[in-house]
């Protein structure tokens, strides 16, 4: 193989081949020969088409001519669904003669009548003679709202009423009130050792300060030990006369001081 002189302006040397490409010709000819031989060696033979003729129609009649048909007809008649779907209800005798009777026709409890009307008594003030000269005004003594002179006490309900108290200091209230107050009721839970562990306010006295005094007083109490783990009861603190302030009425001014 001869190479032509390369161009001096190129960086790499590129050989120039001249001649007929026999290798490519041989490859193409060999491929054609191989495909032609394949068509002669491997031939596809399709089977012949087989046509099945359509069967002729066949009709079977169930006639009572043979014992087999007679047994089949009897079985079809026994399995008829119309026999089961039919309503064969029997009406009771004298059904149309029964008369309807409502439940409210028979009274069971006599209805309550209207309450008796009480006569209304109208009280009129006594008549006043317009010709009578009015006299001096009558002084009325002021009504004292101070409750009865009773001291403050604490009362327990349930099992705590029979349980003795080991520590029972007196209740001392430094707060006083003028208006009436109601007893304070708390739900207390006492442990087996006798200490009051829980307190829940059930009824307020009307003054939160007295409720706090009652709660602090219950914390200082201690009951005798018991086998019950927790005893629940109500503690009622009835406020006595020492929590009420005495009403002080101002004395009328002396005419000589004017």
């Amino acid at each position: 193989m001869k190479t032509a002189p390369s161009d001096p302006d190129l960086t790499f040397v590129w050989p120039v081949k001249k001649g007929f490409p026999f290798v490519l010709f041989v490859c193409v000819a060999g491929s054609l020969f191989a495909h032609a031989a394949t068509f002669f060696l491997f031939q596809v033979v399709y089977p012949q088409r087989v046509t099945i003729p359509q069967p002729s129609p066949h009709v079977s009649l169930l006639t009572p001519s043979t014992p087999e048909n007679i047994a089949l007809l009897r079985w079809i008649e026994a399995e008829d669904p119309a026999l089961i779907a039919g309503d064969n209800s029997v009406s009771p005798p004298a059904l149309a003669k029964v008369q309807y009777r409502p439940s409210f026709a028979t009274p069971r409890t006599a209805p309550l009548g209207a309450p008796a009307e009480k006569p209304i008594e109208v009280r009129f003030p006594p008549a006043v003679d317009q010709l009578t000269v009015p006299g001096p005004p009558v002084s009325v003594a002021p009504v004292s709202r101070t409750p009865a002179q009773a001291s403050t006490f604490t009362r327990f309900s349930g099992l705590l009423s029979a349980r003795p108290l080991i520590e029972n200091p007196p209740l001392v209230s430094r707060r006083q009130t003028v208006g009436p107050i109601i007893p304070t009721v708390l739900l207390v839970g006492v442990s087996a050792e006798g200490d009051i562990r829980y307190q829940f306010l059930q009824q307020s006295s009307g003054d939160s300060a007295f409720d706090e005094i009652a709660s602090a007083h219950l914390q200082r109490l201690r009951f005798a030990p018991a086998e019950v783990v927790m005893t629940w009861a109500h503690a009622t603190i009835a406020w006595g006369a020492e929590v009420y302030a005495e009403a002080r009425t101002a004395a009328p001014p002396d005419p000589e001081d004017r």
Side-chain angles (χ1 to χ4, degrees):
M1 183 178 61
K2 298 180 179 180
T3 59
S6 60
D7 192 354
D9 296 335
L10 298 178
T11 304
F12 301 97
V13 178
W14 297 91
V16 178
K17 298 180 180 180
K18 294 181 179 181
F20 185 79
F22 293 99
V23 178
L24 179 61
F25 177 76
V26 172
C27 291
V28 174
S31 177
L32 292 175
F33 177 77
H35 283 80
T38 305
F39 282 106
F40 284 100
L41 293 177
F42 302 98
Q43 295 182 5
V44 179
V45 178
Y46 293 97
Q48 297 180 0
R49 183 176 180 180
V50 179
T51 304
I52 301 175
Q54 186 177 3
S56 59
H58 181 72
V59 179
S60 299
L61 299 178
L62 296 177
T63 58
S65 59
T66 59
E68 293 80 5
N69 293 344
I70 295 175
L72 182 60
L73 291 175
R74 289 181 178 177
W75 179 79
I76 294 173
E77 185 180 0
E79 297 295 333
D80 187 7
L83 299 177
I84 303 175
D87 187 10
N88 299 326
S89 60
V90 179
S91 301
L95 179 62
K97 298 181 181 180
V98 177
Q99 298 181 358
Y100 171 71
R101 187 175 184 180
S103 60
F104 55 83
T106 304
R108 294 178 176 83
T109 304
L112 297 177
E117 297 183 359
K118 298 181 180 179
I120 302 175
E121 298 181 1
V122 181
R123 299 182 179 180
F124 297 97
V128 178
D129 190 2
Q130 299 295 333
L131 300 179
T132 304
V133 179
V138 180
S139 60
V140 179
V143 179
S144 177
R145 296 185 178 180
T146 305
Q149 300 294 329
S151 58
T152 303
F153 64 91
T154 305
R155 181 176 65 253
F156 295 93
S157 64
L159 299 177
L160 293 182
S161 59
R163 192 169 175 177
L165 283 167
I166 299 177
E167 298 180 7
N168 186 14
L171 191 153
V172 180
S173 175
R174 298 182 180 179
R175 180 178 176 82
Q176 292 184 341
T177 181
V178 179
I181 56 176
I182 61 178
T184 302
V185 180
L186 296 97
L187 177 63
V188 296
V190 181
S191 62
E193 291 78 10
D195 301 328
I196 298 180
R197 299 288 181 84
Y198 304 100
Q199 296 184 18
F200 301 98
L201 183 62
Q202 302 296 310
Q203 174 181 309
S204 176
S205 62
D207 193 337
S208 59
F210 284 99
D211 298 338
E212 294 178 0
I213 294 173
S215 178
H217 172 67
L218 293 178
Q219 290 291 341
R220 296 192 299 267
L221 300 181
R222 186 175 183 182
F223 290 85
E227 297 180 357
V228 184
V229 178
M230 188 65 62
T231 305
W232 296 92
H234 287 88
T236 304
I237 294 89
W239 305 102
E242 64 270 12
V243 300
Y244 292 92
E246 297 180 359
R248 298 180 180 179
T249 56
D254 192 357
E256 297 181 357
D257 296 340
R258 296 180 181 180

